[in-house]
Amino acid sequence: MAPHRLGPAILLMLLALTGCAATDGGQGGIASAFAPFAQKGAAEAGPITLPDGVEWVETVTDTQKGIVIPYSKYRLDNGLTIILHEDHSDPLVHVDVTYHVGSARERPGRSGFAHFFEHMMFQGSVNVADEEHFKIVSEAGGTLNGTTNADRTNYYQTVPANQLEKMLWLESDRMGYLLPAVTRQKFEVQRATVKNERAQRYDNAPYGLVGERVGEAFYPADHPYHWPVIGYTEDLNEATLADLQHFFLRWYGPNNAVLTIGGDLDPEQTLAWVKKYFGGIPRGPKVQTVAPEPIALDQDRYITLDDDVALPLIYIAMPTVHARHPDEPALDVLASILGDGRTSLFYKNLVRDGLAVQAETGHPCRELACQFTLYALPNPAAGVSLADLEQRIRASFDEFEERGVLPDDLARVKAQIRSRLIFGLESVSGKVSQLAFFETFAGTPNYIAQELARYEAVTEEDVMAAYRRYLKDQSAVILSVLPEGQDIAPASAANWQRPAPPQASAPTASLDYRAPVDDFDRRKAPPASQSVSVIPPMIWRDSLDNGIPVIGAINDEVPTTALTLRLNVGQLDEPLTKLGLAALTASMLNESTEGSSNEALSNRLDKLGSQISVSSGNRYSSLTVRSLTENLDETLDIAWERLFTPGFDEADFERVKSQTIEGIRAAKKDPSSVADQVFSLTLYGQDNAFSWSDAGLEETVASLTLDDVRAFYAEFYRAGAASVAVVSDLPRGEVMALLSPLEDWQGDRPPPTPMAAFPRLETGKIYLVDKPGATQSEIRIGRRAMPFDATGRYYRAGLVNYPLGGAFNSRINLNLREDKGYTYGARTGFSGEREFGRFVARAGVRTDVTGPSIREFLDEIHLYADQGPTAEEVSFTRQAIGQSTARDYETPRQKLGFLSLLQTYDLKPSFVEAQKRILDTLTEAEADQLATDLFSEEVTIVVVGDREAIADQLSVFEREIVLLDENGRRVDEGS
């Protein structure tokens, strides 16, 4: 958890709700700010021979002005649109199939079908056996997933380049041959899985129902955005197999899809494969263009939601326009001015003044309608009510009207959009996603120039006009989230009630299955072509005059730089009475400096489009930098200012400390976070600082002073504890010159803090944290294990665990998720540091199957220890992990992670070759012996759930049930 923020349960959910000050494509910018940008690694398409039935539409090359993703666009006779992007910089390809259908295409009373169908598309088709899709992609060394939103559903895989034909076979088989393979059993299992997902991400998550409640009040009952993408449980319960089949036949035709492929490909061969596998799939019903459906509110609608949260929340939503409306860019700029970051009015008026621990705005846009969203979480120390916050928000509107738009406002937004766009080109998946998005929603992949022009045209007058038209004196939905059991008033009494759910209407017309016509045998999966060659990045090593080691790698595909300055100081160096001190110190380095306010620093960074952050973990504190290389020198100036001259301002300290405490309180409301914390304490004991959350405990953070932070900084932030890793398109010499300001830094690192002895593992107990009313139980089962070792027992343990619980199609996930429908996902795995490690099996499961889920976990682990993996599982592991290395070094962040690994464990790059030898020579006998050694040991069990609902289920294990609180301390049942 970032200690200067609220916990992830709050932050991630709210970010998803508010979006960012950009279009729903996540891109935008200013055309005049771009120099011609030819992306290295991209190949210009030459003339090729097209297969029959494939029509060329257009080719866009990187010789055009501005930022361009080169591509060629084609279309099949059945309406399938194909986009190819060549990039030979890495031996991999990314395949994306986007269907222009999301929850907005559902019928009232039948919500959740688009998302439900996303799940069904992974359950096999006529020529791909049940549960084989994930196995095939994993064994090919790939990664895959699917996503659904209100407007589209997409499926994607990133695989080694030699697996492309197989991916096209897979995607085409489920496009053309899914329905005949759908069975009642598959339908019911995935219905249960989707309900588990809803319980985990919405019903059982703090603030998880905010978006659902706001959408219901914001949109009329028959509006396509009225219901949540996940759907209502009642609608999922009422869904029939016939409903599902109709949804597929209506929307999943090739004429409603875009197939985008990018990476190390041969265009002529790729088109031949596309024609072979997709050409025989019949066209679906005609899909009409969807007209925008913006809405208007006749009065403010106040609603309330009681939730198991630590802090109340006020959330305001106001109707605006729709995606790609002429006023959208101006509204995005307005959102940035009002509530995006430390330069915003919301930050100044609510967060900096201590009234709120967090306050932001956004303008998330979708195909049919957009919202202007604002939220704030009050600071309990300030004693303000939600009504007070609403008044302050409205006063900020008035202040903006008087203040107007400043030149820096436009400069910040434009620079951020520009850098975000370039960062998005660092991976082939990012480029493919961009092309697919614009083709689906703008009708052309080459929309970036138009998008840039839209933002280039925004003026101060446009922003003011947008404010007056869409925000000033306009009605809104105002939601108050109230913590259960606390006497807290809403912003205003509720004046709107949830309507009765609409009755399901019948499908508009019956549709028949359209069988494809092929001229080849689909039952045979195509083989992989010649194996790809994977080479880790070439690295260089150097050191500064004061001894700070530097490790680097060149990445010249995009003009960006990623850098980490890491200090060997973290939570391990905290006294138990000052838990959270390392994280709080790191957070203070994100605040003002001796010479600049944090608002001034943020303004400078935003105008550069750069990112700098300081964070702390168990062993290390890190200053990370992400910058366009052209702005690197100015960005590093700010980084060094933060590092060497922190202001340690008292007002900053009190605000950050208050935010940290509220984040700790929020984490206690998140069952998954609680389970992780308590499990760590059972393994390593309460006398080791690293057993606790990096943020610390509420009482220890409350006792910290600014003098504690100053002393910790002075003692540990020294050159002798520092190292640097950098990935850039700059050569070594230029990088070292930019790092020269670090050479004046001095000081040796103090001796490391010794660890306390670990407690005896209590394997005869179940540790239970009671969460009354929880719809799911969080389970953690495990023990202490070996520390990290790149080429020893630790690495081998990871290999042997892979078929048990490391892959999606592992024994445990197939059992609990796919076969029984108990959970949204279940995993097992080893993790380790230098001195210690752990093995953990984990899942969030339905409350009514908590006991049976634990039994399945234990039985699967014991069976694996007794019998070991099969020969097929060993072969699968060798193939999946061996070929996945093609994806390991693509982006600057991946390369930076590789460099950091070398630094952390004093490794040489040759460890990669050693791992390959171990993997290639892994035998069934060796794996069997390892399984016996690794999984025969007794385990401890932690459960976070509704005690009353699960007590009888836990009693069958004949283990003592020990009640704990969220901090792992025993609860006196008599108190």
Side-chain angles (χ1 to χ4, degrees), residues 927-971:
D928 182 70
Q929 184 60 54
L930 280 167
T932 301
D933 295 344
L934 293 167
F935 300 108
S936 295
E937 295 187 36
E938 290 299 313
V939 293
T940 190
I941 301 173
V942 171
V943 179
V944 179
D946 187 336
R947 176 190 179 191
E948 183 177 349
I950 65 178
D952 289 343
Q953 299 179 53
L954 300 182
S955 65
V956 303
F957 292 98
E958 299 182 350
R959 293 180 180 226
E960 179 188 355
I961 297 176
V962 180
L963 286 177
L964 303 177
D965 66 10
E966 292 89 347
N967 289 326
R969 294 161 181 158
R970 285 179 180 257
V971 175

Side-chain angles (χ1 to χ4, degrees), residues 579-592:
L579 291 172
L581 178 56
L584 193 60
T585 302
S587 292
M588 287 300 295
L589 268 69
N590 292 306
E591 299 296 322
S592 60

Side-chain angles (χ1 to χ4, degrees), residues 92 114 237-238 293 301 373 424 445 522 554 593 644 783 816 842 907 909 913 921 953:
L92 51 83
N237 288 337
E238 293 296 322
E293 293 187 45
R301 294 181 178 178
T373 59
R522 269 192 179 268
I554 291 180
T593 64
F644 296 127
R783 59 175 178 81
L816 272 71
R842 57 186 298 142
L907 297 172
E913 299 172 7
T921 58
Q953 299 179 53

